Amino acid sequence: MAGTLILELIVLVLAFPIVAKVAGGIGWGSGIYLGVLCVVFILASGMQKRRHALEVDLVLQLAVIAGFAIHWSIGVVGIIFLMVWLYIAYVKRDVEKRMATGRLPGQRPVGS
């Protein structure tokens, strides 16, 4: 999950030139917004072993989707990564459920 946050961080950093060229330049508001988002993503990537990390990641996606106010491309990035994070949440829930019932391949005795 930390790798996904770093990948999204790279995409957000690449949004700076788009906002600068297409959206009429980077002003105080858009610069601070994108800068703070980048710092928060770096900090969040180091906290992925915590219990509520996935919930924090999903809330971060809402902050990125709010970037529609700056430029539509930032909001689209947020929507795309929200779908990625929802899939990650689905897979995590499925693995936890299989672990609880003992249905993971590594939990079966050897030879069965």
Side-chain angles (χ1 to χ4, degrees):
M1 292 189 321
T4 304
L5 281 175
I6 295 298
L7 179 63
E8 188 170 2
L9 170 69
I10 292 168
V11 173
L12 284 174
V13 169
L14 291 173
F16 272 100
I18 293 171
V19 172
K21 298 253 183 206
V22 178
I26 295 181
W28 284 98
S30 60
I32 290 173
Y33 176 78
L34 286 172
V36 167
L37 267 181
C38 290
V39 170
V40 170
F41 270 80
I42 291 170
L43 294 174
S45 69
M47 299 172 37
Q48 292 304 300
K49 289 204 177 219
R50 301 219 171 142
R51 173 177 285 165
H52 299 292
L54 186 58
E55 289 83 4
V56 171
D57 298 337
L58 290 170
V59 169
L60 283 175
Q61 299 317 302
L62 298 177
V64 177
I65 291 172
F68 267 118
I70 294 174
H71 193 262
W72 64 268
S73 62
I74 297 171
V76 169
V77 166
I79 291 171
I80 290 170
F81 274 98
L82 177 63
M83 290 186 286
V84 169
W85 283 106
L86 289 174
Y87 179 70
I88 289 172
Y90 167 75
V91 169
K92 181 179 178 187
R93 184 179 54 105
D94 187 51
V95 168
E96 287 172 347
K97 187 169 44 171
R98 288 178 187 220
M99 283 176 61
T101 58
R103 293 186 301 138
L104 284 178
Q107 292 176 310
R108 297 185 187 134
V110 178
S112 55

Short mmCIF file of all heavy atoms in Angstrom, two decimals, residues 19-58:
data_model
loop_
_atom_site.label_atom_id
_atom_site.label_comp_id
_atom_site.label_asym_id
_atom_site.label_seq_id
_atom_site.Cartn_x
_atom_site.Cartn_y
_atom_site.Cartn_z
N VAL A 19 -1.02 21.85 -14.26
CA VAL A 19 -1.72 22.98 -13.66
C VAL A 19 -1.02 24.28 -14.06
O VAL A 19 -1.69 25.29 -14.34
CB VAL A 19 -1.79 22.83 -12.13
CG1 VAL A 19 -2.34 24.08 -11.47
CG2 VAL A 19 -2.63 21.62 -11.76
N ALA A 20 0.29 24.27 -14.13
CA ALA A 20 1.03 25.48 -14.48
C ALA A 20 0.76 25.92 -15.92
O ALA A 20 0.62 27.11 -16.20
CB ALA A 20 2.52 25.26 -14.27
N LYS A 21 0.69 24.98 -16.85
CA LYS A 21 0.53 25.33 -18.27
C LYS A 21 -0.92 25.49 -18.69
O LYS A 21 -1.26 26.38 -19.45
CB LYS A 21 1.18 24.26 -19.14
CG LYS A 21 2.66 24.13 -18.92
CD LYS A 21 3.39 24.69 -20.06
CE LYS A 21 4.87 24.45 -19.79
NZ LYS A 21 5.70 25.39 -20.44
N VAL A 22 -1.78 24.60 -18.21
CA VAL A 22 -3.14 24.54 -18.72
C VAL A 22 -4.11 25.37 -17.88
O VAL A 22 -4.99 26.03 -18.40
CB VAL A 22 -3.62 23.08 -18.80
CG1 VAL A 22 -5.05 22.99 -19.30
CG2 VAL A 22 -2.70 22.28 -19.71
N ALA A 23 -3.96 25.34 -16.58
CA ALA A 23 -4.94 25.96 -15.70
C ALA A 23 -4.63 27.42 -15.40
O ALA A 23 -5.17 27.98 -14.47
CB ALA A 23 -5.04 25.17 -14.40
N GLY A 24 -3.78 28.03 -16.15
CA GLY A 24 -3.50 29.44 -15.94
C GLY A 24 -2.41 29.72 -14.92
O GLY A 24 -2.29 30.82 -14.41
N GLY A 25 -1.60 28.75 -14.62
CA GLY A 25 -0.49 28.95 -13.70
C GLY A 25 -0.80 28.43 -12.31
O GLY A 25 -1.94 28.22 -11.94
N ILE A 26 0.27 28.26 -11.56
CA ILE A 26 0.12 27.81 -10.18
C ILE A 26 0.09 29.04 -9.30
O ILE A 26 1.05 29.79 -9.21
CB ILE A 26 1.27 26.88 -9.77
CG1 ILE A 26 1.21 25.60 -10.60
CG2 ILE A 26 1.20 26.56 -8.29
CD1 ILE A 26 2.27 24.59 -10.28
N GLY A 27 -1.03 29.24 -8.65
CA GLY A 27 -1.18 30.35 -7.71
C GLY A 27 -0.86 29.88 -6.30
O GLY A 27 -0.45 28.74 -6.07
N TRP A 28 -1.09 30.77 -5.34
CA TRP A 28 -0.83 30.41 -3.96
C TRP A 28 -1.70 29.22 -3.54
O TRP A 28 -1.22 28.28 -2.92
CB TRP A 28 -1.11 31.60 -3.04
CG TRP A 28 -0.03 32.62 -3.08
CD1 TRP A 28 0.00 33.77 -3.80
CD2 TRP A 28 1.22 32.55 -2.38
NE1 TRP A 28 1.18 34.44 -3.58
CE2 TRP A 28 1.94 33.70 -2.72
CE3 TRP A 28 1.78 31.63 -1.51
CZ2 TRP A 28 3.20 33.96 -2.20
CZ3 TRP A 28 3.04 31.90 -0.99
CH2 TRP A 28 3.73 33.04 -1.35
N GLY A 29 -2.97 29.29 -3.85
CA GLY A 29 -3.89 28.25 -3.41
C GLY A 29 -3.56 26.89 -3.99
O GLY A 29 -3.46 25.89 -3.28
N SER A 30 -3.40 26.85 -5.32
CA SER A 30 -3.13 25.56 -5.96
C SER A 30 -1.75 25.03 -5.59
O SER A 30 -1.57 23.82 -5.42
CB SER A 30 -3.27 25.68 -7.47
OG SER A 30 -2.36 26.64 -7.99
N GLY A 31 -0.78 25.90 -5.44
CA GLY A 31 0.57 25.47 -5.06
C GLY A 31 0.62 24.89 -3.67
O GLY A 31 1.21 23.84 -3.42
N ILE A 32 -0.04 25.57 -2.74
CA ILE A 32 -0.08 25.08 -1.36
C ILE A 32 -0.88 23.78 -1.29
O ILE A 32 -0.48 22.83 -0.61
CB ILE A 32 -0.66 26.15 -0.42
CG1 ILE A 32 0.35 27.30 -0.27
CG2 ILE A 32 -1.01 25.57 0.94
CD1 ILE A 32 -0.17 28.49 0.50
N TYR A 33 -2.00 23.72 -2.00
CA TYR A 33 -2.83 22.52 -1.99
C TYR A 33 -2.04 21.31 -2.49
O TYR A 33 -2.00 20.27 -1.83
CB TYR A 33 -4.08 22.74 -2.85
CG TYR A 33 -4.94 21.54 -3.00
CD1 TYR A 33 -5.79 21.15 -1.97
CD2 TYR A 33 -4.92 20.76 -4.15
CE1 TYR A 33 -6.58 20.02 -2.08
CE2 TYR A 33 -5.72 19.64 -4.28
CZ TYR A 33 -6.54 19.28 -3.24
OH TYR A 33 -7.32 18.16 -3.37
N LEU A 34 -1.41 21.44 -3.66
CA LEU A 34 -0.65 20.32 -4.21
C LEU A 34 0.57 19.99 -3.35
O LEU A 34 0.90 18.82 -3.15
CB LEU A 34 -0.23 20.61 -5.64
CG LEU A 34 -1.33 20.54 -6.70
CD1 LEU A 34 -0.83 21.04 -8.04
CD2 LEU A 34 -1.86 19.13 -6.82
N GLY A 35 1.23 21.01 -2.84
CA GLY A 35 2.40 20.78 -1.99
C GLY A 35 2.05 20.05 -0.70
O GLY A 35 2.74 19.10 -0.30
N VAL A 36 0.97 20.47 -0.06
CA VAL A 36 0.53 19.82 1.18
C VAL A 36 0.11 18.38 0.90
O VAL A 36 0.43 17.47 1.67
CB VAL A 36 -0.60 20.62 1.86
CG1 VAL A 36 -1.28 19.82 2.94
CG2 VAL A 36 -0.06 21.93 2.41
N LEU A 37 -0.61 18.17 -0.21
CA LEU A 37 -0.99 16.81 -0.57
C LEU A 37 0.24 15.93 -0.75
O LEU A 37 0.26 14.78 -0.28
CB LEU A 37 -1.80 16.80 -1.86
CG LEU A 37 -3.31 16.85 -1.75
CD1 LEU A 37 -3.95 16.82 -3.13
CD2 LEU A 37 -3.85 15.76 -0.89
N CYS A 38 1.25 16.44 -1.41
CA CYS A 38 2.48 15.65 -1.62
C CYS A 38 3.14 15.29 -0.30
O CYS A 38 3.56 14.14 -0.09
CB CYS A 38 3.44 16.40 -2.53
SG CYS A 38 2.88 16.52 -4.24
N VAL A 39 3.24 16.24 0.62
CA VAL A 39 3.85 15.97 1.92
C VAL A 39 3.02 14.95 2.70
O VAL A 39 3.57 14.03 3.32
CB VAL A 39 4.02 17.28 2.72
CG1 VAL A 39 4.42 17.01 4.16
CG2 VAL A 39 5.05 18.18 2.05
N VAL A 40 1.70 15.09 2.67
CA VAL A 40 0.83 14.16 3.38
C VAL A 40 0.97 12.75 2.81
O VAL A 40 0.98 11.77 3.55
CB VAL A 40 -0.64 14.65 3.35
CG1 VAL A 40 -1.59 13.59 3.86
CG2 VAL A 40 -0.78 15.92 4.17
N PHE A 41 1.10 12.63 1.50
CA PHE A 41 1.26 11.32 0.88
C PHE A 41 2.58 10.68 1.30
O PHE A 41 2.64 9.48 1.53
CB PHE A 41 1.16 11.41 -0.64
CG PHE A 41 -0.23 11.25 -1.15
CD1 PHE A 41 -1.12 12.31 -1.12
CD2 PHE A 41 -0.67 10.04 -1.65
CE1 PHE A 41 -2.41 12.17 -1.58
CE2 PHE A 41 -1.96 9.88 -2.11
CZ PHE A 41 -2.84 10.95 -2.07
N ILE A 42 3.63 11.47 1.42
CA ILE A 42 4.92 10.94 1.87
C ILE A 42 4.80 10.44 3.31
O ILE A 42 5.26 9.34 3.64
CB ILE A 42 6.03 12.00 1.74
CG1 ILE A 42 6.32 12.27 0.27
CG2 ILE A 42 7.30 11.56 2.46
CD1 ILE A 42 7.21 13.47 0.02
N LEU A 43 4.17 11.25 4.17
CA LEU A 43 4.00 10.85 5.57
C LEU A 43 3.11 9.61 5.69
O LEU A 43 3.40 8.71 6.47
CB LEU A 43 3.42 12.00 6.37
CG LEU A 43 4.31 13.24 6.52
CD1 LEU A 43 3.56 14.36 7.22
CD2 LEU A 43 5.59 12.89 7.26
N ALA A 44 2.04 9.58 4.91
CA ALA A 44 1.11 8.44 4.98
C ALA A 44 1.76 7.16 4.48
O ALA A 44 1.44 6.07 4.97
CB ALA A 44 -0.15 8.74 4.18
N SER A 45 2.68 7.27 3.53
CA SER A 45 3.32 6.05 3.03
C SER A 45 4.19 5.39 4.09
O SER A 45 4.41 4.18 4.06
CB SER A 45 4.14 6.35 1.77
OG SER A 45 5.27 7.14 2.10
N GLY A 46 4.66 6.16 5.05
CA GLY A 46 5.45 5.59 6.13
C GLY A 46 4.62 5.05 7.28
O GLY A 46 5.17 4.49 8.23
N MET A 47 3.31 5.21 7.21
CA MET A 47 2.44 4.78 8.30
C MET A 47 1.51 3.64 7.89
O MET A 47 0.45 3.45 8.49
CB MET A 47 1.61 5.97 8.77
CG MET A 47 2.46 7.11 9.30
SD MET A 47 1.59 8.63 9.65
CE MET A 47 0.04 8.11 10.29
N GLN A 48 1.88 2.85 6.92
CA GLN A 48 0.99 1.84 6.38
C GLN A 48 0.87 0.58 7.23
O GLN A 48 0.02 -0.25 6.98
CB GLN A 48 1.40 1.48 4.95
CG GLN A 48 1.17 2.60 3.97
CD GLN A 48 -0.26 3.09 3.97
OE1 GLN A 48 -1.17 2.33 3.69
NE2 GLN A 48 -0.47 4.34 4.31
N LYS A 49 1.70 0.44 8.26
CA LYS A 49 1.57 -0.74 9.12
C LYS A 49 0.56 -0.51 10.23
O LYS A 49 0.25 -1.43 10.98
CB LYS A 49 2.93 -1.10 9.70
CG LYS A 49 3.85 -1.67 8.67
CD LYS A 49 4.89 -2.53 9.30
CE LYS A 49 5.71 -3.12 8.19
NZ LYS A 49 6.08 -4.46 8.43
N ARG A 50 0.07 0.69 10.35
CA ARG A 50 -0.91 0.99 11.40
C ARG A 50 -2.26 0.39 11.07
O ARG A 50 -2.58 0.12 9.91
CB ARG A 50 -1.02 2.49 11.58
CG ARG A 50 0.32 3.08 11.96
CD ARG A 50 0.20 4.14 12.96
NE ARG A 50 1.54 4.51 13.41
CZ ARG A 50 1.88 5.72 13.67
NH1 ARG A 50 1.02 6.69 13.54
NH2 ARG A 50 3.11 5.97 14.09
N ARG A 51 -3.08 0.23 12.09
CA ARG A 51 -4.36 -0.46 11.95
C ARG A 51 -5.31 0.23 10.98
O ARG A 51 -5.97 -0.41 10.19
CB ARG A 51 -5.01 -0.58 13.32
CG ARG A 51 -6.41 -1.14 13.26
CD ARG A 51 -7.00 -1.30 14.62
NE ARG A 51 -6.35 -2.47 15.22
CZ ARG A 51 -6.39 -2.76 16.50
NH1 ARG A 51 -7.01 -1.98 17.32
NH2 ARG A 51 -5.80 -3.84 16.95
N HIS A 52 -5.41 1.53 11.04
CA HIS A 52 -6.39 2.25 10.22
C HIS A 52 -5.77 2.92 9.00
O HIS A 52 -6.27 3.93 8.52
CB HIS A 52 -7.10 3.29 11.08
CG HIS A 52 -7.85 2.68 12.22
ND1 HIS A 52 -8.97 1.90 12.03
CD2 HIS A 52 -7.63 2.70 13.56
CE1 HIS A 52 -9.42 1.48 13.20
NE2 HIS A 52 -8.61 1.95 14.15
N ALA A 53 -4.71 2.35 8.49
CA ALA A 53 -4.01 2.96 7.35
C ALA A 53 -4.88 2.99 6.10
O ALA A 53 -4.89 3.99 5.37
CB ALA A 53 -2.72 2.21 7.07
N LEU A 54 -5.63 1.94 5.85
CA LEU A 54 -6.45 1.90 4.65
C LEU A 54 -7.54 2.96 4.69
O LEU A 54 -7.83 3.59 3.67
CB LEU A 54 -7.06 0.51 4.47
CG LEU A 54 -7.83 0.28 3.18
CD1 LEU A 54 -6.94 0.53 1.96
CD2 LEU A 54 -8.39 -1.12 3.13
N GLU A 55 -8.11 3.18 5.86
CA GLU A 55 -9.13 4.23 5.98
C GLU A 55 -8.53 5.60 5.72
O GLU A 55 -9.15 6.45 5.06
CB GLU A 55 -9.78 4.18 7.37
CG GLU A 55 -10.68 2.98 7.58
CD GLU A 55 -9.93 1.73 8.00
OE1 GLU A 55 -8.70 1.79 8.21
OE2 GLU A 55 -10.58 0.68 8.11
N VAL A 56 -7.31 5.83 6.21
CA VAL A 56 -6.63 7.10 5.95
C VAL A 56 -6.36 7.26 4.46
O VAL A 56 -6.55 8.34 3.90
CB VAL A 56 -5.31 7.17 6.76
CG1 VAL A 56 -4.47 8.37 6.35
CG2 VAL A 56 -5.61 7.21 8.25
N ASP A 57 -5.97 6.18 3.81
CA ASP A 57 -5.70 6.23 2.37
C ASP A 57 -6.96 6.58 1.59
O ASP A 57 -6.91 7.35 0.63
CB ASP A 57 -5.14 4.90 1.89
CG ASP A 57 -3.81 4.56 2.54
OD1 ASP A 57 -3.13 5.49 3.00
OD2 ASP A 57 -3.48 3.37 2.61
N LEU A 58 -8.08 6.03 1.99
CA LEU A 58 -9.35 6.34 1.31
C LEU A 58 -9.76 7.79 1.52
O LEU A 58 -10.27 8.44 0.61
CB LEU A 58 -10.45 5.38 1.77
CG LEU A 58 -10.27 3.93 1.30
CD1 LEU A 58 -11.26 3.02 2.00
CD2 LEU A 58 -10.42 3.82 -0.20
#
